[in-house]
Amino acid sequence: MEAKPVRKPPRTTLWITLGSILFALLLWELITRLAGLPAFILPSPGLVAQRLLKAITDGSLLLHTSVTLAEVLLGLLAGTLAAVIVGYAVAKSRLFERLVSPYLVASQAIPIVAIAPLLVIWFGPGMFSKVLICSLIVFFPVLVNTVVGVREVPRLLHDLMGSLRASRWQTLRLLELPAALPILLGGLRIGATLSVIGAVVGELVGSDKGLGFLVNLARGQYDTALVFVAVFTLILLALALYGLVALLEKRLLTWQEVRQ
């Protein structure tokens, strides 16, 4: 009989995570005390906590976080939809792949930081340019996973659907999409974290709202504690999006657990 892997209890994993966070905070506090650096260079955890409380109280953190979250969600949705559509077309047509592959590769050769100023100039400093930047940074990883997932569907299953006289839509809905879903969701995990980077890049280039704008504002005022607050908020956003995709993956791929 095959031995089953031993899984750590959820409580044990939670305590390990909390312990590592506490150790990091203690180490941070120790470094600030021993180094004797001024607060505008390296604030202590206590100062960052006080600045966090002030930002929550005056409503600025909620305002800027909501703007960034809206840009991230819209960009992630638009980029994922476009990537799935184009990726499916690339996977099904070698001719279409030859036509668009040079442009797709060229788009990845240019860093998003380099074209973000152009997009802000062309489309303005509003939300649309930030959503577009998020979509572009999400597009490629989801597209690649879509192509790989669709092409990994066994040929025998396609022959079976053909023998059952299934239409193109039925083959897509009942075979290709479920079979490609595990790989597609893997790309979506990557895209979820990259979308936060895209929103911040756009806000750093030109914006009057959002966490990226908050970082720029705090940097100009030498309010390093506020910079830490904005950065930690961005980390929490990325972790939350990654967790939501993981939860979605668990819900949609229950058939894999049953099969195992």
Side-chain angles (χ1 to χ4, degrees):
M1 295 178 65
E2 186 179 351
K4 295 182 179 180
V6 179
R7 294 183 180 179
K8 292 184 178 181
R11 285 189 176 182
T12 303
T13 305
L14 178 61
W15 282 114
I16 292 175
T17 303
L18 292 177
S20 64
I21 294 175
L22 180 60
F23 176 76
L25 290 175
L26 291 175
L27 182 62
W28 180 6
E29 180 69 29
L30 183 62
I31 291 174
T32 56
R33 288 180 181 273
L34 294 179
L37 297 173
F40 70 87
I41 294 180
L42 181 63
S44 66
L47 289 177
V48 175
Q50 292 176 8
R51 194 63 183 88
L52 171 63
L53 183 60
K54 181 180 178 182
I56 294 175
T57 303
D58 60 22
S60 59
L61 184 61
L62 179 60
L63 171 65
H64 295 294
T65 302
S66 62
V67 171
T68 301
L69 182 60
E71 295 167 353
V72 167
L73 292 177
L74 290 174
L76 182 61
L77 178 62
T80 301
L81 287 176
V84 170
I85 294 172
V86 176
Y88 183 78
V90 169
K92 302 300 288 185
S93 173
R94 294 290 181 179
L95 176 61
F96 185 70
E97 180 183 10
R98 295 191 188 98
L99 289 174
V100 301
S101 288
Y103 301 101
L104 295 176
V105 175
S107 68
Q108 295 306 299
I110 305 173
I112 194 67
V113 179
I115 63 173
L118 290 176
L119 297 177
V120 173
I121 292 173
W122 292 341
F123 301 102
M127 181 175 288
F128 180 77
S129 59
K130 315 305 184 300
V131 172
L132 183 58
I133 294 171
C134 287
S135 302
L136 291 175
I137 202 170
V138 168
F139 179 80
F140 193 75
V142 178
L143 178 138
V144 170
N145 281 44
T146 301
V147 174
V148 172
V150 172
R151 288 182 175 172
E152 285 294 316
V153 180
R155 185 63 191 175
L156 290 175
L157 294 180
H158 279 286
D159 295 339
L160 176 61
M161 296 297 289
S163 66
L164 295 175
R165 299 183 183 277
S167 64
R168 177 69 64 87
W169 167 248
Q170 289 174 327
T171 302
L172 171 63
R173 182 171 59 90
L174 300 176
L175 173 61
E176 293 173 333
L177 183 58
L181 202 55
I183 301 178
L184 173 60
L185 289 174
L188 189 58
R189 284 196 188 196
I190 301 173
T193 55
L194 290 178
S195 62
V196 178
I197 298 175
V200 174
V201 168
E203 291 170 352
L204 288 173
V205 171
S207 179
D208 58 354
K209 292 178 183 178
L211 292 173
F213 165 77
L214 195 63
V215 169
N216 259 342
L217 179 65
R219 179 179 57 83
Q221 298 175 349
Y222 289 93
D223 190 353
T224 312
L226 184 57
V227 174
F228 274 86
V229 170
V231 169
F232 288 149
T233 305
L234 289 169
I235 293 173
L236 289 177
L237 278 182
L239 289 174
L241 289 172
Y242 186 89
L244 286 175
V245 175
L247 180 62
L248 179 65
E249 184 176 0
K250 186 176 180 181
R251 292 290 181 89
L252 294 178
L253 301 181
T254 52
W255 55 272
Q256 284 189 330
E257 297 180 1
V258 173
R259 186 181 64 180
Q260 293 174 355

PDB file of all heavy atoms in Angstrom, residues 7-29:
ATOM      1  N   ARG A   7       0.284  15.371   6.852  1.00  0.00           N
ATOM      2  CA  ARG A   7       0.023  16.802   6.775  1.00  0.00           C
ATOM      3  C   ARG A   7       0.030  17.396   8.173  1.00  0.00           C
ATOM      4  O   ARG A   7      -0.509  16.821   9.107  1.00  0.00           O
ATOM      5  CB  ARG A   7      -1.343  17.075   6.117  1.00  0.00           C
ATOM      6  CG  ARG A   7      -1.399  16.661   4.653  1.00  0.00           C
ATOM      7  CD  ARG A   7      -2.747  17.028   4.073  1.00  0.00           C
ATOM      8  NE  ARG A   7      -2.838  16.656   2.667  1.00  0.00           N
ATOM      9  CZ  ARG A   7      -3.933  16.862   1.922  1.00  0.00           C
ATOM     10  NH1 ARG A   7      -5.005  17.429   2.462  1.00  0.00           N
ATOM     11  NH2 ARG A   7      -3.938  16.512   0.651  1.00  0.00           N
ATOM     12  N   LYS A   8       0.651  18.579   8.272  1.00  0.00           N
ATOM     13  CA  LYS A   8       0.662  19.258   9.558  1.00  0.00           C
ATOM     14  C   LYS A   8      -0.724  19.799   9.863  1.00  0.00           C
ATOM     15  O   LYS A   8      -1.410  20.302   8.975  1.00  0.00           O
ATOM     16  CB  LYS A   8       1.667  20.419   9.531  1.00  0.00           C
ATOM     17  CG  LYS A   8       3.107  19.952   9.426  1.00  0.00           C
ATOM     18  CD  LYS A   8       4.041  21.150   9.501  1.00  0.00           C
ATOM     19  CE  LYS A   8       5.495  20.689   9.444  1.00  0.00           C
ATOM     20  NZ  LYS A   8       6.414  21.835   9.531  1.00  0.00           N
ATOM     21  N   PRO A   9      -1.166  19.726  11.131  1.00  0.00           N
ATOM     22  CA  PRO A   9      -2.467  20.275  11.491  1.00  0.00           C
ATOM     23  C   PRO A   9      -2.520  21.768  11.216  1.00  0.00           C
ATOM     24  O   PRO A   9      -1.495  22.467  11.315  1.00  0.00           O
ATOM     25  CB  PRO A   9      -2.561  19.973  13.002  1.00  0.00           C
ATOM     26  CG  PRO A   9      -1.580  18.883  13.246  1.00  0.00           C
ATOM     27  CD  PRO A   9      -0.487  19.077  12.238  1.00  0.00           C
ATOM     28  N   PRO A  10      -3.698  22.295  10.864  1.00  0.00           N
ATOM     29  CA  PRO A  10      -3.802  23.733  10.573  1.00  0.00           C
ATOM     30  C   PRO A  10      -3.341  24.602  11.728  1.00  0.00           C
ATOM     31  O   PRO A  10      -2.739  25.655  11.518  1.00  0.00           O
ATOM     32  CB  PRO A  10      -5.299  23.912  10.290  1.00  0.00           C
ATOM     33  CG  PRO A  10      -5.785  22.553   9.874  1.00  0.00           C
ATOM     34  CD  PRO A  10      -4.949  21.579  10.632  1.00  0.00           C
ATOM     35  N   ARG A  11      -3.616  24.179  12.975  1.00  0.00           N
ATOM     36  CA  ARG A  11      -3.205  24.997  14.116  1.00  0.00           C
ATOM     37  C   ARG A  11      -1.692  25.078  14.226  1.00  0.00           C
ATOM     38  O   ARG A  11      -1.131  26.123  14.564  1.00  0.00           O
ATOM     39  CB  ARG A  11      -3.791  24.410  15.409  1.00  0.00           C
ATOM     40  CG  ARG A  11      -5.282  24.672  15.580  1.00  0.00           C
ATOM     41  CD  ARG A  11      -5.737  24.276  16.958  1.00  0.00           C
ATOM     42  NE  ARG A  11      -7.147  24.599  17.172  1.00  0.00           N
ATOM     43  CZ  ARG A  11      -7.796  24.397  18.316  1.00  0.00           C
ATOM     44  NH1 ARG A  11      -7.153  23.854  19.338  1.00  0.00           N
ATOM     45  NH2 ARG A  11      -9.055  24.733  18.433  1.00  0.00           N
ATOM     46  N   THR A  12      -1.006  23.965  13.950  1.00  0.00           N
ATOM     47  CA  THR A  12       0.452  23.974  14.002  1.00  0.00           C
ATOM     48  C   THR A  12       1.027  24.939  12.971  1.00  0.00           C
ATOM     49  O   THR A  12       1.945  25.721  13.258  1.00  0.00           O
ATOM     50  CB  THR A  12       0.992  22.561  13.747  1.00  0.00           C
ATOM     51  OG1 THR A  12       0.429  21.657  14.706  1.00  0.00           O
ATOM     52  CG2 THR A  12       2.510  22.539  13.849  1.00  0.00           C
ATOM     53  N   THR A  13       0.499  24.892  11.755  1.00  0.00           N
ATOM     54  CA  THR A  13       0.951  25.812  10.701  1.00  0.00           C
ATOM     55  C   THR A  13       0.691  27.258  11.086  1.00  0.00           C
ATOM     56  O   THR A  13       1.528  28.144  10.851  1.00  0.00           O
ATOM     57  CB  THR A  13       0.237  25.483   9.388  1.00  0.00           C
ATOM     58  OG1 THR A  13       0.446  24.111   9.062  1.00  0.00           O
ATOM     59  CG2 THR A  13       0.764  26.351   8.251  1.00  0.00           C
ATOM     60  N   LEU A  14      -0.459  27.523  11.697  1.00  0.00           N
ATOM     61  CA  LEU A  14      -0.801  28.881  12.119  1.00  0.00           C
ATOM     62  C   LEU A  14       0.167  29.391  13.172  1.00  0.00           C
ATOM     63  O   LEU A  14       0.644  30.527  13.100  1.00  0.00           O
ATOM     64  CB  LEU A  14      -2.231  28.915  12.643  1.00  0.00           C
ATOM     65  CG  LEU A  14      -2.730  30.260  13.181  1.00  0.00           C
ATOM     66  CD1 LEU A  14      -2.711  31.311  12.092  1.00  0.00           C
ATOM     67  CD2 LEU A  14      -4.130  30.124  13.767  1.00  0.00           C
ATOM     68  N   TRP A  15       0.474  28.551  14.140  1.00  0.00           N
ATOM     69  CA  TRP A  15       1.400  28.963  15.199  1.00  0.00           C
ATOM     70  C   TRP A  15       2.799  29.197  14.658  1.00  0.00           C
ATOM     71  O   TRP A  15       3.507  30.110  15.101  1.00  0.00           O
ATOM     72  CB  TRP A  15       1.425  27.920  16.321  1.00  0.00           C
ATOM     73  CG  TRP A  15       0.243  27.998  17.230  1.00  0.00           C
ATOM     74  CD1 TRP A  15      -0.744  27.074  17.384  1.00  0.00           C
ATOM     75  CD2 TRP A  15      -0.092  29.081  18.121  1.00  0.00           C
ATOM     76  NE1 TRP A  15      -1.677  27.497  18.300  1.00  0.00           N
ATOM     77  CE2 TRP A  15      -1.297  28.729  18.774  1.00  0.00           C
ATOM     78  CE3 TRP A  15       0.506  30.297  18.423  1.00  0.00           C
ATOM     79  CZ2 TRP A  15      -1.898  29.551  19.711  1.00  0.00           C
ATOM     80  CZ3 TRP A  15      -0.103  31.122  19.368  1.00  0.00           C
ATOM     81  CH2 TRP A  15      -1.289  30.743  19.991  1.00  0.00           C
ATOM     82  N   ILE A  16       3.223  28.384  13.705  1.00  0.00           N
ATOM     83  CA  ILE A  16       4.533  28.588  13.085  1.00  0.00           C
ATOM     84  C   ILE A  16       4.583  29.927  12.356  1.00  0.00           C
ATOM     85  O   ILE A  16       5.557  30.684  12.448  1.00  0.00           O
ATOM     86  CB  ILE A  16       4.857  27.430  12.129  1.00  0.00           C
ATOM     87  CG1 ILE A  16       5.070  26.131  12.911  1.00  0.00           C
ATOM     88  CG2 ILE A  16       6.096  27.752  11.294  1.00  0.00           C
ATOM     89  CD1 ILE A  16       5.267  24.925  12.028  1.00  0.00           C
ATOM     90  N   THR A  17       3.502  30.242  11.612  1.00  0.00           N
ATOM     91  CA  THR A  17       3.437  31.520  10.883  1.00  0.00           C
ATOM     92  C   THR A  17       3.459  32.708  11.844  1.00  0.00           C
ATOM     93  O   THR A  17       4.212  33.672  11.641  1.00  0.00           O
ATOM     94  CB  THR A  17       2.172  31.563  10.020  1.00  0.00           C
ATOM     95  OG1 THR A  17       2.152  30.450   9.134  1.00  0.00           O
ATOM     96  CG2 THR A  17       2.113  32.849   9.224  1.00  0.00           C
ATOM     97  N   LEU A  18       2.637  32.644  12.898  1.00  0.00           N
ATOM     98  CA  LEU A  18       2.595  33.736  13.873  1.00  0.00           C
ATOM     99  C   LEU A  18       3.934  33.883  14.586  1.00  0.00           C
ATOM    100  O   LEU A  18       4.388  34.999  14.851  1.00  0.00           O
ATOM    101  CB  LEU A  18       1.476  33.484  14.886  1.00  0.00           C
ATOM    102  CG  LEU A  18       0.044  33.562  14.350  1.00  0.00           C
ATOM    103  CD1 LEU A  18      -0.962  33.217  15.445  1.00  0.00           C
ATOM    104  CD2 LEU A  18      -0.246  34.949  13.792  1.00  0.00           C
ATOM    105  N   GLY A  19       4.568  32.754  14.885  1.00  0.00           N
ATOM    106  CA  GLY A  19       5.871  32.805  15.545  1.00  0.00           C
ATOM    107  C   GLY A  19       6.930  33.461  14.673  1.00  0.00           C
ATOM    108  O   GLY A  19       7.757  34.244  15.166  1.00  0.00           O
ATOM    109  N   SER A  20       6.908  33.154  13.376  1.00  0.00           N
ATOM    110  CA  SER A  20       7.888  33.758  12.466  1.00  0.00           C
ATOM    111  C   SER A  20       7.656  35.262  12.326  1.00  0.00           C
ATOM    112  O   SER A  20       8.617  36.042  12.256  1.00  0.00           O
ATOM    113  CB  SER A  20       7.821  33.074  11.106  1.00  0.00           C
ATOM    114  OG  SER A  20       6.557  33.297  10.491  1.00  0.00           O
ATOM    115  N   ILE A  21       6.381  35.672  12.294  1.00  0.00           N
ATOM    116  CA  ILE A  21       6.073  37.106  12.212  1.00  0.00           C
ATOM    117  C   ILE A  21       6.542  37.825  13.473  1.00  0.00           C
ATOM    118  O   ILE A  21       7.140  38.912  13.412  1.00  0.00           O
ATOM    119  CB  ILE A  21       4.570  37.319  11.981  1.00  0.00           C
ATOM    120  CG1 ILE A  21       4.156  36.787  10.606  1.00  0.00           C
ATOM    121  CG2 ILE A  21       4.210  38.791  12.102  1.00  0.00           C
ATOM    122  CD1 ILE A  21       2.667  36.840  10.353  1.00  0.00           C
ATOM    123  N   LEU A  22       6.284  37.224  14.626  1.00  0.00           N
ATOM    124  CA  LEU A  22       6.710  37.828  15.895  1.00  0.00           C
ATOM    125  C   LEU A  22       8.235  37.929  15.965  1.00  0.00           C
ATOM    126  O   LEU A  22       8.785  38.949  16.411  1.00  0.00           O
ATOM    127  CB  LEU A  22       6.177  36.996  17.060  1.00  0.00           C
ATOM    128  CG  LEU A  22       6.530  37.495  18.466  1.00  0.00           C
ATOM    129  CD1 LEU A  22       5.986  38.897  18.688  1.00  0.00           C
ATOM    130  CD2 LEU A  22       5.998  36.542  19.525  1.00  0.00           C
ATOM    131  N   PHE A  23       8.918  36.904  15.497  1.00  0.00           N
ATOM    132  CA  PHE A  23      10.385  36.933  15.495  1.00  0.00           C
ATOM    133  C   PHE A  23      10.901  38.048  14.585  1.00  0.00           C
ATOM    134  O   PHE A  23      11.860  38.751  14.926  1.00  0.00           O
ATOM    135  CB  PHE A  23      10.918  35.579  15.030  1.00  0.00           C
ATOM    136  CG  PHE A  23      12.411  35.532  14.889  1.00  0.00           C
ATOM    137  CD1 PHE A  23      13.228  35.445  16.011  1.00  0.00           C
ATOM    138  CD2 PHE A  23      13.003  35.597  13.626  1.00  0.00           C
ATOM    139  CE1 PHE A  23      14.616  35.425  15.864  1.00  0.00           C
ATOM    140  CE2 PHE A  23      14.378  35.573  13.490  1.00  0.00           C
ATOM    141  CZ  PHE A  23      15.187  35.482  14.615  1.00  0.00           C
ATOM    142  N   ALA A  24      10.276  38.215  13.425  1.00  0.00           N
ATOM    143  CA  ALA A  24      10.693  39.268  12.494  1.00  0.00           C
ATOM    144  C   ALA A  24      10.492  40.659  13.121  1.00  0.00           C
ATOM    145  O   ALA A  24      11.336  41.556  12.967  1.00  0.00           O
ATOM    146  CB  ALA A  24       9.925  39.157  11.188  1.00  0.00           C
ATOM    147  N   LEU A  25       9.372  40.849  13.827  1.00  0.00           N
ATOM    148  CA  LEU A  25       9.117  42.134  14.475  1.00  0.00           C
ATOM    149  C   LEU A  25      10.127  42.413  15.584  1.00  0.00           C
ATOM    150  O   LEU A  25      10.609  43.547  15.736  1.00  0.00           O
ATOM    151  CB  LEU A  25       7.687  42.155  15.036  1.00  0.00           C
ATOM    152  CG  LEU A  25       6.558  42.199  14.005  1.00  0.00           C
ATOM    153  CD1 LEU A  25       5.200  42.090  14.696  1.00  0.00           C
ATOM    154  CD2 LEU A  25       6.620  43.468  13.176  1.00  0.00           C
ATOM    155  N   LEU A  26      10.447  41.385  16.367  1.00  0.00           N
ATOM    156  CA  LEU A  26      11.441  41.556  17.429  1.00  0.00           C
ATOM    157  C   LEU A  26      12.817  41.879  16.853  1.00  0.00           C
ATOM    158  O   LEU A  26      13.540  42.730  17.382  1.00  0.00           O
ATOM    159  CB  LEU A  26      11.495  40.293  18.288  1.00  0.00           C
ATOM    160  CG  LEU A  26      10.260  40.004  19.158  1.00  0.00           C
ATOM    161  CD1 LEU A  26      10.401  38.662  19.863  1.00  0.00           C
ATOM    162  CD2 LEU A  26      10.047  41.126  20.170  1.00  0.00           C
ATOM    163  N   LEU A  27      13.164  41.214  15.768  1.00  0.00           N
ATOM    164  CA  LEU A  27      14.447  41.486  15.120  1.00  0.00           C
ATOM    165  C   LEU A  27      14.481  42.904  14.565  1.00  0.00           C
ATOM    166  O   LEU A  27      15.502  43.610  14.673  1.00  0.00           O
ATOM    167  CB  LEU A  27      14.677  40.465  14.007  1.00  0.00           C
ATOM    168  CG  LEU A  27      16.006  40.558  13.253  1.00  0.00           C
ATOM    169  CD1 LEU A  27      17.176  40.337  14.201  1.00  0.00           C
ATOM    170  CD2 LEU A  27      16.044  39.554  12.110  1.00  0.00           C
ATOM    171  N   TRP A  28      13.370  43.329  13.969  1.00  0.00           N
ATOM    172  CA  TRP A  28      13.265  44.697  13.448  1.00  0.00           C
ATOM    173  C   TRP A  28      13.448  45.716  14.573  1.00  0.00           C
ATOM    174  O   TRP A  28      14.194  46.691  14.430  1.00  0.00           O
ATOM    175  CB  TRP A  28      11.912  44.835  12.770  1.00  0.00           C
ATOM    176  CG  TRP A  28      11.603  46.170  12.177  1.00  0.00           C
ATOM    177  CD1 TRP A  28      12.426  47.242  12.075  1.00  0.00           C
ATOM    178  CD2 TRP A  28      10.354  46.573  11.622  1.00  0.00           C
ATOM    179  NE1 TRP A  28      11.765  48.296  11.491  1.00  0.00           N
ATOM    180  CE2 TRP A  28      10.507  47.907  11.190  1.00  0.00           C
ATOM    181  CE3 TRP A  28       9.139  45.923  11.421  1.00  0.00           C
ATOM    182  CZ2 TRP A  28       9.465  48.607  10.598  1.00  0.00           C
ATOM    183  CZ3 TRP A  28       8.092  46.626  10.823  1.00  0.00           C
ATOM    184  CH2 TRP A  28       8.258  47.942  10.414  1.00  0.00           C
ATOM    185  N   GLU A  29      12.756  45.498  15.698  1.00  0.00           N
ATOM    186  CA  GLU A  29      12.868  46.404  16.843  1.00  0.00           C
ATOM    187  C   GLU A  29      14.293  46.440  17.371  1.00  0.00           C
ATOM    188  O   GLU A  29      14.819  47.508  17.715  1.00  0.00           O
ATOM    189  CB  GLU A  29      11.907  45.957  17.941  1.00  0.00           C
ATOM    190  CG  GLU A  29      11.921  46.804  19.202  1.00  0.00           C
ATOM    191  CD  GLU A  29      11.362  48.195  18.992  1.00  0.00           C
ATOM    192  OE1 GLU A  29      10.491  48.354  18.105  1.00  0.00           O
ATOM    193  OE2 GLU A  29      11.784  49.114  19.713  1.00  0.00           O
TER     194      GLU A  29
END
